[in-house]
Amino acid sequence: MTQVKLLAVVDAFLQREHGHFINGLSQPGGGALRPVVNPATGQEIARVHDGCAEDVSAAMAAAQQAFRGSWAEMTALGRGKLLLKLADAMEQHREELAQIETLCSGKAITLSRELEVDQAVAFLRYFAGWAGKICGETTEISLPPRGGEKYRGFTLREPLGVVVGIIPWNFSIMIAIWKMAAALVCGCTVVLKPSEFTPLTMLRVAQLAADAGFPPGAINVVNGNGGLLGPMLIEHPFCAKVTFTGSVPTGRSVGNAASALAIPVTLELGGKNPALFLADMTVGEMVDGIIEAGYLNQGQICASAERFYLPAEKMDEVLSGLIQRLARLNVASPLDEACQVGPLANKAHLEKIQKLVARAKEDGDEILYGGYSPERPGYYFLPTVVKVRSENSTLMREETFGPVGSFLAYHDEEKVLQQINNSPFGLAASVWTHNLNKAMRYSERMQAGIVWINMHSLLDPALPFGGVKGSGNGREFGSAFINDYTRLKSVMMRY
Ligand code: NAD
């Protein structure tokens, strides 16, 4: 066991008074103190002041001032250079950020380093590379030149303004960086609202950004109750765009609030992602694939698979191999570098999963492995394998967002494709096979924003990401993000 020793800077940071980051300064605010709980122990590790209307107004005003002033006056390359400097600073503070993240979310320290920090740095650098490349186009005008005059038209890509970014608890740094870096490189400024459960990491990142030279007001963070602050932020007159990642019910209410005011909104919501294994895969390949698709970070990845479709003739052998592998995973403190199963991110989330698994038992689904919390402090729940009775089982329809794989055997590939698409959601899906022809055809037919072939969950900044159907709208990454953070202005001239 290699238990990580907390850095002195992490201890010191936790003991500080926390609240918000507004106009280039850490500002505790005067709201009620909310405890931050380490999900691995159930113990309080810090306290953060809840935001109120004054904090929202101050953050939105600072962001608007920077949008009209310092951020707008900076050249595009200057903005890109600052994003690169922040990437360097985050890399230098990698261990510190990873430890704070692990203490707040229970994510294994290795994942906090590699996914939260390293990936966030990679995304920052990717978005920085767009600086100076976001532009309109010149176009020919066909008006009749009656007196010999000529015409020319062109479009300008204008930044939208102050972007409100609402962040979930599962990737408190990486998802915030997706939104923040995309907005900033387009010339927008941001007010971020982290989850109540993981309010600390972006406070630290915002401070690093200020130290790297970002002008006051370009990046602001307001913490507190989402149900209270969310509507205040969205309805604020300076809000020009909302980008939300989180659950379906909250996303719908965010979407309704923004649409009522004709504010553009990007929604990255939950799902019930399928993984389809075709019969040509070996049992070992299927087991490896299921673990990659469904159990990383205790299944708390929006794109994780929760519905698994296995060929009937291989189902029992695959499940028995899977159970043997899951039983060998190291359930440990997330600060242990050998941790393979850490806690769930918070108590409410644990209770939600416990209820869903209890309902599955009542429904007649078979819990083949796990399904309960091990005897230890914190919010642990063992990786769970459920053989569902039918595609109508609750566990085939409702997102657990946890380490609960639901397995259904199929006999007919055509019918299983229909079952897979018979879902109100469509965030992500995967198909696993050595048959290139089937892989290509099935990936085209699966209704999801992203379909992986022989892999699952991994994202790349060059490839757009976002859902279809009830899993949301809008696309992050690639060049697609530009449409979400800029608007086109047309200019026509006669000469
Ligand atoms: P959540 O919807 O409970 O909270 C998300 C954020 O919304 C939090 O910051 C919260 O404070 C805020 N919020 C709460 N009520 C609000 C309101 N009325 N108005 C505005 N904001 C409000 O989600 P969560 O539990 O933090 O995250 C888990 C969910 O996120 C899962 O459903 C998961 O699938 C989804 N998710 C999706 C993606 C994606 O990219 N599609 C990525 C990660 C997580």
Side-chain angles (χ1 to χ4, degrees), residues 151-173:
Y151 294 90
R152 180 61 61 192
F154 59 91
T155 56
L156 299 172
R157 280 249 166 225
E158 292 186 332
L160 292 180
V162 176
V163 172
V164 168
I166 303 177
I167 318 297
W169 45 255
N170 67 324
F171 282 97
S172 74
I173 306 177

Side-chain angles (χ1 to χ4, degrees), residues 1-71:
M1 180 168 105
T2 35
Q3 185 81 14
V4 167
K5 187 169 162 16
L6 287 187
L7 300 173
V9 283
V10 170
D11 279 328
F13 177 75
L14 293 178
Q15 280 160 33
R16 276 177 45 183
E17 197 178 3
H18 298 288
H20 324 292
F21 194 90
I22 299 172
N23 209 19
L25 294 172
S26 167
Q27 306 207 3
L33 279 168
R34 184 187 289 270
V36 183
V37 173
N38 178 351
T41 61
Q43 306 290 312
E44 180 179 310
I45 50 165
R47 287 178 175 199
V48 179
H49 287 282
D50 263 0
C52 59
E54 285 73 37
D55 301 312
V56 167
S57 292
M60 295 299 284
Q64 178 75 355
Q65 204 181 350
F67 173 66
R68 294 275 173 229
S70 53
W71 200 240

Side-chain angles (χ1 to χ4, degrees), residues 391-406:
E391 62 169 326
N392 297 321
S393 292
T394 305
L395 282 187
M396 292 298 274
R397 312 207 71 80
E398 273 193 40
E399 182 188 47
T400 67
F401 206 51
V404 182
S406 300

Side-chain angles (χ1 to χ4, degrees), residues 103-247:
L103 289 170
C104 294
S105 72
K107 191 172 283 122
I109 186 71
T110 48
L111 292 183
S112 290
R113 289 173 187 151
E114 290 164 21
L115 292 184
E116 286 281 21
V117 188
D118 297 352
Q119 276 297 93
V121 165
F123 275 88
L124 267 173
R125 291 185 175 140
Y126 174 82
F127 283 114
W130 277 102
K133 303 186 186 82
I134 297 170
C135 49
E137 52 192 22
T138 311
T139 174
E140 196 174 320
I141 300 295
S142 299
L143 291 175
R146 296 183 201 286
E149 72 274 29
K150 294 183 85 177
Y151 294 90
R152 180 61 61 192
F154 59 91
T155 56
L156 299 172
R157 280 249 166 225
E158 292 186 332
L160 292 180
V162 176
V163 172
V164 168
I166 303 177
I167 318 297
W169 45 255
N170 67 324
F171 282 97
S172 74
I173 306 177
M174 187 171 67
I175 292 178
I177 291 288
W178 292 350
K179 299 180 182 311
M180 186 182 102
L184 290 170
V185 78
C186 286
C188 302
T189 54
V190 290
V191 176
L192 299 171
K193 213 302 280 170
S195 162
E196 294 86 323
F197 296 106
T198 50
L200 294 178
T201 43
M202 283 314 289
L203 290 176
R204 188 69 191 106
V205 170
Q207 182 64 59
L208 291 177
D211 296 345
F214 276 83
I219 300 169
N220 306 275
V221 181
V222 180
N223 274 307
N225 181 319
L228 186 74
L229 298 185
M232 285 182 195
L233 288 161
I234 296 165
E235 287 160 19
H236 193 282
F238 292 153
C239 173
K241 153 96 192 166
V242 180
T243 172
F244 171 88
T245 297
S247 63

Side-chain angles (χ1 to χ4, degrees), residues 274 307 309 415-425 429 442 444-448 469:
R307 293 185 282 154
Y309 296 86
K415 278 198 192 132
V416 84
L417 273 171
Q418 285 167 20
Q419 285 180 349
I420 282 172
N421 286 336
N422 181 21
S423 163
F425 303 115
Y442 291 0
E444 286 165 17
R445 289 175 62 193
M446 288 169 123
Q447 295 169 2
K469 300 199 277 189

Side-chain angles (χ1 to χ4, degrees), residues 37-42 102-108 169-170 197-198 294-301 331-332 334 339 341-355 357 372-374 376-384 400-404:
V37 173
N38 178 351
T41 61
T102 287
L103 289 170
C104 294
S105 72
K107 191 172 283 122
W169 45 255
N170 67 324
F197 296 106
T198 50
Y295 294 93
L296 192 66
N297 195 34
Q298 289 77 251
Q300 301 167 122
I301 297 179
V331 183
C339 170
V341 178
L344 298 178
N346 57 69
K347 191 161 180 255
H349 189 47
L350 170 67
E351 287 168 357
K352 176 190 135 184
I353 291 176
Q354 285 168 333
K355 271 195 202 131
V357 172
Y372 61 92
S373 296
R376 56 182 299 149
Y379 310 134
Y380 285 77
F381 194 80
L382 286 183
T384 297
T400 67
F401 206 51
V404 182

